[in-house]
Amino acid sequence: MAGLAESGSNPDVDLLYDINGLAKDAPGWFDRVMEFVGEYGLLLAIVLLVVWCWWTVRRRGDEDAASSVAALIWAPLAAGIAVLVNVPIRGFVERPRPFLDHQGLEVLVSGKTDYSFVSDHATLVMALAVGLFVANRKFGLVALVLAVFGGFIRVYMGVHYPTDVVGGFALGTAVALLLSPVAMALLTPVTRAVERSPRAGWLVRARGRGGVDGEGAVIPGARRESASERDLAA
């Protein structure tokens, strides 16, 4: 992988210079904005999307609220696992940051001394976005667009090669999707138990939205029994 960084004719390096060249032509204030967005802004925006989606799910109070909340819990867990998986990958590949091997780059963030492949930022935001997409497609699509833009900014900032970002996207997506069935199998019973709790049930379903065990348990796909039907049965 380090060999990819040595050839100026390599498409990866050419694309790096093309995208990072935009930073040279941009005004200083714009680069400062891009630096903040690339380091913190987009990650914060995706986290807020996850919180917004959770708030919407619990207020709506659908019968599948517990499974939806379980999927939302999986999104940050998937991001954390993906970053941990990336630790040995970066240590094995040992690809230097692009500004260490190539002259003339406009580096917007200083102090980056760790390895370049795979990008932690790209891995993190994509795992969050894909995890959110599993829970809710509308929110997830917005998060995916933000994640892709975040990957572009990492190259714009001069701290990653394009393939670092693509590798991060692949890793984040793989972890979020491949481990999702296991995660949902483990997390959904927990969120259903929380949903039935008198004290913590509001975390899954807003008060007055649907029922819990003491008020007629909600089973996905099952039809609620009306009051008149209960009277006839009596």
Side-chain angles (χ1 to χ4, degrees), residues 42-207:
L42 286 175
L43 176 59
L44 177 60
I46 296 176
V47 170
L48 290 177
L49 277 176
V50 174
V51 174
W52 186 7
C53 186
W54 163 74
W55 185 260
T56 301
V57 166
R58 66 172 293 275
R59 280 180 60 85
R60 191 170 60 235
D62 292 342
E63 293 184 354
D64 61 348
S67 59
S68 296
V69 171
L72 290 172
I73 294 173
W74 168 237
L77 290 178
I81 293 172
V83 171
L84 289 177
V85 171
N86 190 31
V87 172
I89 294 176
R90 296 181 77 159
F92 176 76
V93 177
E94 295 185 347
R95 187 183 198 183
R97 294 280 182 169
F99 53 80
L100 297 177
D101 287 335
H102 301 283
Q103 302 297 320
L105 292 174
E106 185 76 11
V107 183
L108 303 187
V109 180
S110 60
K112 298 289 185 181
T113 58
D114 54 346
Y115 293 120
S116 186
F117 186 91
V118 174
S119 168
D120 275 338
H121 272 78
T123 301
L124 190 62
V125 295
M126 186 55 73
L128 272 172
V130 173
L132 180 56
F133 184 80
V134 170
N136 186 287
R137 290 190 177 182
K138 290 182 179 179
F139 282 92
L141 283 174
V142 176
L144 288 171
V145 172
L146 292 178
V148 171
F149 181 55
F152 172 85
I153 294 180
R154 300 305 291 178
V155 182
Y156 177 95
M157 294 165 61
V159 295
H160 281 294
Y161 295 96
T163 49
D164 298 337
V165 172
V166 173
F169 287 166
L171 177 59
T173 300
V175 170
L177 290 183
L178 295 180
L179 298 183
S180 178
V182 176
M184 292 299 295
L186 296 174
L187 291 172
T188 301
V190 175
T191 54
R192 292 196 187 284
V194 172
E195 183 182 21
R196 293 191 295 268
S197 170
R199 294 180 179 273
W202 64 273
L203 291 170
V204 177
R205 191 193 299 267
R207 299 299 185 188

Side-chain angles (χ1 to χ4, degrees), residues 1-8 10 12-13 95-96 98 101-102 161:
M1 184 62 70
L4 292 177
E6 295 173 358
S7 173
N10 187 280
D12 194 25
V13 178
R95 187 183 198 183
D101 287 335
H102 301 283
Y161 295 96

